[in-house]
Amino acid sequence: MTLENLHNFITDYFTANQCEILENDNGKLSIQLTDKMDEKLMNRPFYWQYVKKLGYPGEPMQVSFITNPDRKDEDGEWVHFGSPRIHQIFNLLNSQGKYTRLFERTTTGNRTALIPWLVTNVKISYTGKHKKDEILSIGLQLINGAMKTMMMDELEKLHLQPSIPDFCYTITPIIRLKSGYQRINRYVENYLENIEHSWAEESWSHLQEEKKLLEHFYQHSMDEDEDRFNQEIKDLEGRFKPQINIEVINGGLFYLSQASSSKIIL
Amino acid sequence: MNIQINRDQRFIDELDNKLENEGPFCSWELFKMSYHSSVATMTEEFKGLTAPSRLPHITFLQHQLDCAKQVIEEMNGRGILADEVGLGKTIEAGLVLKEYMIRGLVKKALILVPASLVNQWVNELRQKFYIPAISQGKRPVWDQNNVVVTSLDTAKRPPHRETILEQDYDFVLIDEAHKLKNHKTKNYEFVRSLRKKYCLLLTATPVQNKLTDIFNLVSILKPGYLGNYDEFTKQFGRDRKNLFNDTHLKQLVQKVMVRNRRGDTGIDWTKRNVETVWINFSDEEQQAYNELVEIVDETSNFSSITFTRELCSSREACYLSLKKLVNQGNTKNTEAYEAFMKRIEQLPHHAKADKVVELMKDKDEKFIIFTEYRATQFYLQWYLQQHGISSVPFRGGFKRGKKDWMRQLFENHAQVLIATEAGGEGINLQFCNNMINYDLPWNPMRLEQRIGRIHRFGQEEDVNIYNFAIKNTMEEHVLNLLYEKIQLFERVIGNLDAILADLEIQDVEHEIQTIFQESATEGEARIKLENLSSVISYAQQQQSEEDWNDTRESS
């Protein structure tokens, strides 16, 4: 899967990181990096170390990215899904966009209560002979315990901001954060129990077959080769033993209006 | 069966902590982007390749994609890549590695290649595949998560050896893996001892001499898969032909080995136009040649055959060798040689050099000229310059950087590259499509290597090969009797080395030299040469019937 529009994606990324856009036209984006982004992206630690030591202001670089393949020979760095720069940005996002607390923007003049939600985006990796990933976006309402999957789709319809809007107040969660997380975990495990795992069965029986071959190979030399045999068994298990990894991509506490909260649960 | 489940506890602790301390929190924009980038980078299916879509600058060939898929999906990441030379084993291996890295299955990899290829591998992985490979420099970096390229010789030596054997590698690759065919060697032992998850062995000749070669290679990947050594030899014997003749063995091996041959790739290879350019010595040169043959006949010195051979290439090459001989002072007819050297000085320009100039006249295309002798290389460079043709020299002995530099000069500035050695694993000259074999090597493998420099992937034009040979000299015999007969020029002889090994001919060059040396008359030499080429071409026919050509269909 590719991002629908890589150009907009990187434009948004640099905007969200307070970099000034100098040029943005026909698949070419030129930006003035901030000190912070230069340090993160441009890989010149010695320069920044030196500048800081001397107490000088640093001079962050200007860079151009080209997303239009027809223009890739022009001045600037051609980026595409898969290019190292894009993956550098993805990696940065892993830490930059991991934890949040956000409030829904409401326009009413009345005092409005905001209801707390714990939202986690979870990546499940199934690893055996082969590997695949699945992403679940789960929201848990921390007052009544209602749960919602595909939560990100809902959130994207709303306007969210980092500070609490005027005339709004937050309701204290009834479900504590950590037990809320337990509920989400239980949901994920329940989900896993109810899907079929032929991939794991295949991997498991394959592992047993390979072990048998190995035992046969070493049957006459087990005495002198025991260490190697054990090592190779370990290698086999590393390669075939079915595993499921659950990892939270990102998550946080979201305070949503009563109206939005009810709409989501419906 | 139990499935191990690993949960994420760190996240909630950290979030709790941040809520307590009022942040720092990220903006909604970054949160959203982080989620979307994860969705974009996840792999949704167990099967299939995701790597090609991330490498839009490379056009993969169908057989390369099929190969990578087969290695990952059916061989579970352990296999022998045994394509014929020039079909892109490196690309296939890079694709497999990239796929595993994208899926997060490989973080730490060890790539063992011949020392001369280390830099090239690093560059290919970095530039083509965006894999941040590093070559092992002065400060070893074995114990980190990275992709290290080094040579087997470096890796197996202390102090590296000990450290490397302690590492758990996700991926190990060995290029030129036929060096591991003998299970009693240190190399073999070392590779067996590596702790590894996935493993690729690259070789164009999976069985070189004995059928047990394949047993030993497979036992690195899947010990026990072909039984143990005794069972294997008992069941399948030792004859390497059984790999193709024994249906059961063939089936077994196909599950751990991918072998594509040029014919199976379904690619339109650009044509190879081969032209023999017959050249006549000038009268003076011919007389000198005949005279030299006589002198040489009288002193049947072991290396004397080379003098006539050299004279067919350039006066300079011959002169230098004679001078060396005379200076050593232990030859019988020094006087005859000295007189002959005087004669050489009087000779006009070499007929072949004139031919080169003639051939290149009015053409502004690039040419590669291969010669066997350095003296000829110098002479040619000078002679071409006299005719306003720019050239750069190239030798196998050049350091990597110099090779690259010369290649670049050739690509951008000079019209001709004059090379003495194909020596040449390594440089690709697809931007040129004309080659002159100024003198022919007596070893057909080396000729194929030469041609392979330009007739490979990326070559978009038909390739023109001009083979120079002088009439009424030994060159005429070699060309007519050896090369024409085994049809070397028309087709690719990827498996010639195996054929020669089969015939127990270790060194064709030596063989031919002996023939010329030991034959009393020209007629005798001709008959012997003819016999040699008959044997080779017979074995060729046999082999082509033998080798499997349906590896892929099995999958």
Side-chain angles (χ1 to χ4, degrees):
Chain A
M1 181 183 159
T2 52
L3 286 172
E4 277 152 35
N5 187 326
L6 189 69
H7 189 86
N8 293 349
F9 183 85
I10 59 171
T11 310
D12 290 350
Y13 178 74
F14 286 107
T15 311
N17 280 292
Q18 291 87 42
C19 295
E20 190 192 342
I21 308 288
L22 304 172
E23 182 197 339
N24 189 359
D25 174 50
N26 187 23
K28 184 168 179 177
L29 176 75
S30 299
I31 43 168
Q32 171 64 58
L33 293 174
T34 58
D35 286 12
K36 202 173 123 211
M37 288 310 285
D38 186 302
E39 266 193 87
K40 284 191 164 135
L41 285 173
M42 301 319 287
N43 191 27
R44 42 180 197 158
F46 296 119
Y47 171 76
W48 287 107
Q49 202 180 7
Y50 166 83
V51 160
K52 281 179 194 161
K53 214 170 218 168
L54 295 182
Y56 290 151
E59 267 183 54
M61 290 165 113
Q62 295 185 355
V63 275
S64 297
F65 297 110
I66 294 168
T67 53
N68 181 349
D70 298 336
R71 299 183 67 181
K72 70 181 177 200
D73 295 327
E74 293 176 29
D75 264 0
E77 186 182 331
W78 178 45
V79 293
H80 56 82
F81 187 69
S83 73
R85 181 69 70 195
I86 296 302
H87 281 269
Q88 186 188 20
I89 291 174
F90 286 174
N91 284 336
L92 279 174
L93 275 170
N94 281 343
S95 50
Q96 278 186 312
K98 188 149 189 174
Y99 304 99
T100 198
R101 185 186 60 189
L102 293 164
F103 304 87
E104 185 182 354
R105 190 189 313 158
T106 52
T107 42
T108 55
N110 306 325
R111 274 177 68 80
T112 308
L114 293 178
I115 295 169
W117 286 75
L118 172 63
V119 175
T120 57
N121 294 316
V122 181
K123 179 158 130 179
I124 305 172
S125 301
Y126 305 86
T127 312
K129 269 176 18 171
H130 310 293
K131 184 182 174 198
K132 76 165 184 184
D133 304 318
E134 185 179 14
I135 290 177
L136 300 180
S137 177
I138 304 166
L140 177 74
Q141 214 251 43
L142 292 177
I143 303 297
N144 63 8
M147 202 166 309
K148 170 71 189 151
T149 55
M150 299 184 32
M151 186 67 183
M152 279 302 276
D153 293 354
E154 302 298 332
L155 293 175
E156 294 200 44
K157 294 174 197 158
L158 310 176
H159 294 282
L160 297 163
Q161 63 181 51
S163 56
I164 188 161
D166 295 343
F167 307 113
C168 290
Y169 62 97
T170 58
I171 298 180
T172 310
I174 291 177
I175 302 167
R176 279 180 43 249
L177 192 73
K178 286 196 174 175
S179 53
Y181 185 66
Q182 289 308 321
R183 289 193 192 199
I184 289 178
N185 271 343
R186 269 203 300 281
Y187 171 82
V188 171
E189 276 166 34
N190 190 35
Y191 168 80
L192 289 175
E193 268 165 40
N194 288 305
I195 57 174
E196 62 99 29
H197 293 284
S198 56
W199 64 275
E201 276 156 36
E202 256 174 56
S203 298
W204 184 261
S205 65
H206 194 88
L207 174 62
Q208 305 312 317
E209 276 169 39
E210 294 261 349
K211 278 185 179 172
K212 259 186 235 154
L213 283 180
L214 204 62
E215 278 158 19
H216 178 77
F217 188 76
Y218 283 110
Q219 64 185 350
H220 300 302
S221 61
M222 198 54 101
D223 296 340
E224 63 260 42
D225 288 336
E226 203 188 335
D227 288 349
R228 177 171 293 173
F229 172 78
N230 289 333
Q231 181 56 47
E232 282 180 10
I233 288 280
K234 241 176 88 188
D235 289 344
L236 279 179
E237 287 179 344
R239 208 158 129 237
F240 295 117
K241 208 166 149 193
Q243 286 189 32
I244 296 177
N245 253 322
I246 304 170
E247 182 203 355
V248 179
I249 298 162
N250 59 8
L253 205 50
F254 287 70
Y255 289 97
L256 308 181
S257 68
Q258 183 67 56
S260 300
S261 292
S262 344
K263 215 186 281 167
I264 287 169
I265 291 162
L266 263 180
Chain B
M1 178 189 77
N2 60 5
I3 307 176
Q4 187 186 323
I5 297 183
N6 308 312
R7 297 168 185 82
D8 188 338
Q9 192 54 47
R10 275 225 334 257
F11 166 79
I12 198 65
D13 293 342
E14 189 63 22
L15 180 64
D16 200 34
N17 196 9
K18 284 194 192 296
L19 288 168
E20 201 121 305
N21 298 314
E22 294 281 317
F25 295 114
C26 70
S27 67
W28 168 234
E29 280 71 30
L30 287 173
F31 187 84
K32 221 167 28 175
M33 274 189 249
S34 171
Y35 172 76
H36 285 299
S37 72
S38 294
V39 172
T41 49
M42 75 170 183
T43 40
E44 285 174 279
E45 301 291 335
F46 281 120
K47 301 218 165 174
L49 298 178
T50 55
S53 69
R54 303 198 185 188
L55 303 166
H57 55 296
I58 315 182
T59 314
F60 292 103
L61 297 161
Q62 194 54 47
H63 75 269
Q64 295 168 338
L65 295 170
D66 290 345
C67 169
K69 231 164 113 76
Q70 195 180 347
V71 168
I72 291 171
E73 292 180 2
E74 285 158 51
M75 301 179 179
N76 303 306
R78 286 198 178 197
I80 303 170
L81 305 188
D83 283 0
E84 268 182 357
V85 181
L87 293 184
K89 285 189 286 290
T90 317
I91 303 271
E92 291 164 356
L95 200 48
V96 172
L97 175 57
K98 181 76 182 177
E99 184 69 30
Y100 278 132
M101 292 182 84
I102 289 174
R103 288 178 182 253
L105 290 166
V106 169
K107 294 197 169 66
K108 189 178 175 69
L110 179 67
I111 318 275
L112 299 172
V113 307
S116 59
L117 296 183
V118 169
N119 285 338
Q120 197 191 336
W121 267 91
V122 170
N123 289 341
E124 292 233 336
L125 290 177
R126 281 175 166 267
Q127 285 160 15
K128 285 203 178 119
F129 292 97
Y130 302 134
I131 292 171
I134 44 176
S135 64
Q136 197 275 316
K138 288 199 177 97
R139 268 184 302 164
V141 279
W142 308 119
D143 52 353
Q144 289 166 27
N145 263 354
N146 47 27
V147 179
V148 181
V149 183
T150 187
S151 71
L152 190 53
D153 289 328
T154 306
K156 73 174 184 209
R157 259 202 321 261
H160 310 307
R161 182 193 160 85
E162 290 67 27
T163 327
I164 291 174
L165 290 179
E166 283 167 12
Q167 309 299 313
D168 287 300
Y169 288 103
D170 299 318
F171 183 95
V172 170
L173 178 150
I174 293 124
D175 192 13
E176 306 293 343
H178 45 262
K179 286 175 191 148
L180 302 176
K181 65 191 175 179
N182 185 341
H183 67 289
K184 292 189 182 112
T185 56
K186 283 222 169 77
N187 282 348
Y188 189 85
E189 187 53 34
F190 177 71
V191 171
R192 270 303 305 276
S193 313
L194 291 170
R195 298 184 201 161
K196 54 197 177 288
K197 227 157 83 180
Y198 306 111
C199 182
L200 296 182
L201 305 178
L202 276 55
T203 171
T205 48
V207 272
Q208 244 179 343
N209 300 311
K210 288 178 289 180
L211 191 61
T212 49
D213 294 353
I214 193 72
F215 173 82
N216 289 325
L217 288 182
V218 172
S219 296
I220 292 174
L221 303 171
K222 265 184 141 192
Y225 179 67
L226 295 177
N228 59 37
Y229 192 87
D230 294 335
E231 291 164 351
F232 179 81
T233 46
K234 210 155 118 200
Q235 189 177 358
F236 301 110
R238 287 167 189 277
D239 185 354
R240 47 176 294 276
K241 291 202 187 76
N242 285 348
L243 179 57
F244 309 110
N245 294 343
D246 189 304
T247 333
H248 180 52
L249 179 61
K250 189 169 140 180
Q251 274 174 359
L252 283 173
V253 171
Q254 279 174 354
K255 294 217 166 96
V256 284
M257 173 165 118
V258 183
R259 179 163 172 82
N260 287 302
R261 311 188 65 206
R262 237 165 237 242
D264 319 328
T265 57
I267 297 156
D268 255 350
W269 289 84
T270 61
K271 270 220 318 264
R272 194 184 268 202
N273 302 318
V274 182
E275 191 182 319
T276 302
V277 180
W278 289 109
I279 295 155
N280 285 307
F281 265 148
S282 64
D283 292 344
E284 275 169 288
E285 283 172 311
Q286 187 69 48
Q287 274 170 24
Y289 178 85
N290 295 345
E291 206 173 295
L292 182 61
V293 171
E294 272 171 41
I295 305 173
V296 164
D297 268 355
E298 286 164 25
T299 43
S300 199
N301 177 296
F302 183 73
S303 61
S304 55
I305 194 76
T306 41
F307 303 144
T308 40
R309 216 185 144 188
E310 283 165 347
L311 190 60
C312 291
S313 178
S314 70
R315 303 165 308 176
E316 286 73 6
C318 180
Y319 186 89
L320 284 177
S321 299
L322 289 178
K323 195 167 168 198
K324 207 168 138 201
L325 178 83
V326 171
N327 286 349
Q328 280 169 351
N330 50 2
T331 181
K332 276 184 284 176
N333 41 3
T334 313
E335 277 164 32
Y337 279 123
E338 275 175 341
F340 187 73
M341 283 162 67
K342 289 248 157 58
R343 243 199 108 139
I344 288 187
E345 288 173 21
Q346 312 294 321
L347 286 177
H349 278 295
H350 203 274
K352 274 182 176 170
D354 284 332
K355 196 72 185 181
V356 173
V357 173
E358 188 192 317
L359 193 71
M360 291 188 47
K361 204 169 54 195
D362 313 324
K363 283 193 186 139
D364 50 8
E365 287 174 36
K366 290 189 188 298
F367 276 78
I368 297 168
I369 302 179
F370 272 108
T371 173
E372 294 279 278
Y373 306 103
R374 273 178 71 174
T376 306
Q377 185 185 34
F378 285 124
Y379 164 69
L380 260 180
Q381 207 182 353
W382 173 82
Y383 191 72
L384 290 181
Q385 194 198 11
Q386 299 297 303
H387 287 80
I389 299 170
S390 57
S391 63
V392 288
F394 191 90
R395 278 196 290 282
F398 283 173
K399 291 222 171 75
R400 182 78 231 162
K402 189 163 181 186
K403 279 186 181 171
D404 288 339
W405 173 235
M406 287 299 160
R407 180 192 174 283
Q408 223 171 333
L409 277 179
F410 177 43
E411 183 165 12
N412 300 323
H413 302 291
Q415 192 185 354
V416 179
L417 179 112
I418 308 176
T420 48
E421 259 172 83
E425 319 125 337
I427 59 157
N428 300 331
L429 302 163
Q430 303 97 311
F431 54 84
C432 172
N433 65 321
N434 298 297
M435 177 181 291
I436 295 174
N437 287 303
Y438 194 80
D439 32 44
L440 290 173
W442 285 356
N443 180 349
M445 281 314 291
R446 292 204 12 235
L447 192 72
E448 181 57 35
Q449 261 180 14
R450 283 182 180 182
I451 299 175
R453 295 294 110 221
I454 61 170
H455 196 213
R456 53 166 49 229
F457 286 147
Q459 179 56 263
E460 285 162 12
E461 306 290 327
D462 286 353
V463 169
N464 303 308
I465 314 281
Y466 303 95
N467 295 307
F468 279 20
I470 303 179
K471 282 264 184 200
N472 302 314
T473 64
M474 63 205 317
E475 288 192 337
E476 185 178 345
H477 300 314
V478 174
L479 191 90
N480 274 343
L481 299 174
L482 183 70
Y483 283 105
E484 299 280 345
K485 186 132 187 189
I486 61 177
Q487 294 178 314
L488 188 86
F489 300 125
E490 279 72 31
R491 57 204 193 101
V492 178
I493 38 129
N495 51 359
L496 187 70
D497 50 351
I499 291 170
L500 296 176
D502 220 22
L503 296 168
E504 290 178 7
I505 298 174
Q506 274 161 2
D507 183 350
V508 189
E509 178 139 6
H510 182 77
E511 208 74 24
I512 297 176
Q513 193 158 358
T514 316
I515 289 175
F516 279 120
Q517 205 93 57
E518 292 173 358
S519 303
T521 63
E522 230 185 78
E524 189 185 334
R526 194 181 310 141
I527 291 170
K528 284 185 179 165
L529 260 179
E530 221 162 283
N531 288 344
L532 174 68
S533 34
S534 300
V535 172
I536 295 175
S537 79
Y538 178 70
Q540 258 178 334
Q541 277 169 20
Q542 293 243 304
Q543 182 101 29
S544 59
E545 286 158 20
E546 232 168 56
D547 204 344
W548 67 51
N549 40 26
D550 57 350
T551 318
R552 175 122 288 122
E553 263 102 284
S554 69
S555 55

